[in-house]
């Protein structure tokens, strides 16, 4: 897990905790944007994780072939 992925996951967890506190103290209407931002960060984290998995799977299927250099005569 790279640093941006760790930050996205940690920030979304922190926003869920903040949203829960806001829900208890002032109601669901005021905490709704915080929860939606947390969900957006989770979606972004999953997108990044799936993109890395897709690239590694694609590299296994289509390995890069080394091209031999031709010598000029």
């Amino acid at each position: 897990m790279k640093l941006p992925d760790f930050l996205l996951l940690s920030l979304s967890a922190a926003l869920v905790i903040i949203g829960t506190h806001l829900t208890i103290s002032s109601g669901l209407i005021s905490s709704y944007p915080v929860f939606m931002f947390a969900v957006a960060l989770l979606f972004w984290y999953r997108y990044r994780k799936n993109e890395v998995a897709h690239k590694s799977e694609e590299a296994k299927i289509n390995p890069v072939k080394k091209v031999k250099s031709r010598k000029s005569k």
Side-chain angles (χ1 to χ4, degrees):
M1 184 182 294
K2 294 183 179 180
L3 182 62
D5 296 332
F6 179 75
L7 290 175
L8 285 173
L9 195 58
S10 300
L11 187 58
S12 65
L15 286 174
V16 167
I17 293 169
I18 292 169
T20 304
H21 174 72
L22 279 173
T23 302
I24 292 170
S25 63
S26 48
L28 187 62
I29 302 297
S30 62
S31 64
Y32 182 77
V34 177
F35 282 122
M36 288 300 106
F37 191 56
V39 169
L41 289 177
L42 281 174
F43 281 146
W44 191 12
Y45 168 76
R46 289 295 299 170
Y47 173 76
R48 288 176 54 93
K49 189 174 178 181
N50 287 338
E51 190 174 310
V52 168
H54 180 69
K55 285 182 182 178
S56 66
E57 182 179 303
E58 189 175 282
K60 289 179 184 177
I61 294 172
N62 299 324
V64 177
K65 295 180 181 179
K66 294 183 180 179
V67 177
K68 294 182 182 179
S69 61
R70 297 181 183 177
K71 294 183 180 179
S72 300
K73 292 184 179 180

